[in-house]
Amino acid sequence: MKLLDPIDKLPCGVEASKKSPVSGHRGISLVPGHRKLNKVIYPYDDFLKLYNWKCNDSKYSDFLTCGLVNCGNSCFANVVLQCLSYTRPLVAYLLGKDHYRQCAIRHEDWCFLCELQSHIQRAFDSVHPFAPTNILSHLPNIGGNLGFGRQEDAHEFMRFAIDKMQSACLDEFGGEKVVDHSTQETTVIQHIFGGRLQSQVQCTACGMVSNRYENMMDLTVEIHGDAESLEKCLDQFTAIEWLDGDNKYKCDGCNDYVKARKHLTVHQAPNILTITLKRFQSGRFGKLNKKVTFPTKLDLTPYMSTTDGTDQYDLYAVVVHLDMLNASFFGHYICYIKHYRGRWLKLDDCKGMAVDEEEVHAQGAYMLLYS
């Protein structure tokens, strides 16, 4: 982990580092321009401490991830829980028990973030595999269409889990409908996973430029065509699109439908970047098993709308879907996790073993987690 440089105050009232692994985030301002925040739920300088948390306690630094028992088609949840258990700022936050002390719903209802905190603590304390029953038995509470005992999609579960953690942070202040959008962008979950996409459209007739911004918690990229590397997939994701013919753009400057240039880029890079390779397709079997290489160190600079060149990432988790005959409707999930001391571990439900980095890169990755 790099040391942080002095902190600068941003106009929006949130703090970020000039040159650090988190500087590309620029304080998580996920709306156009800088608005004055009514309230800061979790100060960004406190988040920076979580981001740079180090496992100095030998109990944690020597910890080899505890396996998780498959309770019947629960491998999709097991791999996501293992990835979250090695997401450094999230673990630092939960081991500090910050949420549990402040949770507004745990006495009245079931809270996923409280349960994840208990799960991570148990994983660090256990020497034998255990079943994450308290989480699996509440799958419908995490995502309405998730069901216990059914084969589910790991990426979908990850999205639901992040959304549920964000909601838990907002419930203390009245929930998503009560908290204004600028304040929602200051939760610890938003600081960890949140970023911002920019969609820019430029009229070819009058040159008028329109920018629209969208919050993102992960990126899903296509792997079709000749995209055989993650970088090529990101090239496709950010490729210029021409709006013409039946798909012309209604320009406010021209007050007419015109040909226009559309460009999608990452405007603010998240501190934890989750990339999903879109392997599941429509069709009889519906899965693309083509080889897509991915780097240990990812430079997001070419895919940014603005950058100071510090948007550099390190790979720390890989989720793999194993199948037969390219089938998407059944299979098995495993994951590879980078230990806090730099070693790679292969986790297959309750089984775990140390592996070389070459084995990690030989996998047909489905989800990639970078910090």
Side-chain angles (χ1 to χ4, degrees), residues 9 51 60 119 176 197 208 214 217 223-224 244 254 289 345 361:
K9 292 281 187 178
Y51 190 91
Y60 301 136
H119 171 87
E176 183 178 354
L197 293 174
M208 182 176 179
E214 180 184 354
M217 289 296 192
I223 62 172
H224 54 69
D244 198 9
C254 300
N289 271 331
L345 306 174
H361 286 280

Side-chain angles (χ1 to χ4, degrees), residues 78-252:
N78 286 352
V79 294
V80 170
L81 292 174
Q82 297 288 27
C83 290
L84 294 177
S85 297
Y86 268 92
T87 299
R88 185 185 298 264
L90 180 63
V91 172
Y93 173 72
L94 293 177
L95 289 180
K97 299 180 175 58
D98 281 351
H99 174 72
Y100 188 82
R101 288 198 301 264
Q102 303 168 13
C103 183
I105 63 173
R106 63 184 173 89
H107 296 299
E108 302 174 4
D109 199 1
W110 183 82
C111 174
F112 174 70
L113 198 52
C114 286
E115 201 62 63
L116 182 62
Q117 179 173 310
S118 299
H119 171 87
I120 289 177
Q121 187 64 61
R122 184 179 180 185
F124 275 90
D125 292 338
S126 299
V127 293
H128 300 294
F130 65 92
T133 310
N134 290 344
I135 292 178
L136 295 175
S137 61
H138 287 87
L139 286 176
N141 297 87
I142 302 172
N145 61 337
L146 297 177
F148 183 76
R150 298 206 309 256
Q151 294 200 32
E152 303 285 6
D153 179 63
H155 174 230
E156 187 176 29
F157 179 69
M158 173 70 90
R159 291 293 302 270
F160 280 134
I162 293 175
D163 288 345
K164 204 67 178 177
M165 289 188 283
Q166 171 75 346
S167 296
C169 292
L170 297 175
D171 285 340
E172 180 185 353
F173 303 91
E176 183 178 354
K177 294 182 179 179
V178 175
V179 182
D180 66 277
H181 289 294
S182 60
T183 301
Q184 290 183 29
E185 295 153 9
T186 66
T187 67
V188 67
I189 300 303
Q190 188 73 50
H191 292 332
I192 294 172
F193 297 102
R196 189 183 187 193
L197 293 174
Q198 174 183 284
S199 177
Q200 183 179 94
V201 179
Q202 183 175 16
C203 173
T204 58
C206 70
M208 182 176 179
V209 174
S210 173
N211 291 321
R212 298 186 64 181
Y213 301 93
E214 180 184 354
N215 185 28
M216 73 171 195
M217 289 296 192
D218 72 339
L219 286 178
T220 299
V221 297
E222 300 280 355
I223 62 172
H224 54 69
D226 60 353
E228 297 181 348
S229 68
L230 178 60
E231 292 88 344
K232 287 286 185 67
C233 294
L234 291 171
D235 285 339
Q236 289 185 352
F237 182 80
T238 57
I240 292 173
E241 177 186 357
W242 292 100
L243 306 179
D244 198 9
D246 294 335
N247 192 31
K248 283 188 175 181
Y249 171 68
K250 178 65 185 304
C251 176
D252 291 337

Side-chain angles (χ1 to χ4, degrees), residues 275-289:
I275 300 178
T276 301
L277 304 180
K278 197 173 180 182
R279 292 191 176 277
F280 298 126
Q281 314 285 323
S282 60
R284 181 180 177 184
F285 296 107
K287 186 184 173 192
L288 295 177
N289 271 331

Side-chain angles (χ1 to χ4, degrees), residues 66-70 78 129-130 347-352:
C66 181
L68 298 177
V69 175
N70 191 318
N78 286 352
F130 65 92
L347 300 173
D348 184 351
D349 288 331
C350 60
K351 297 179 292 184

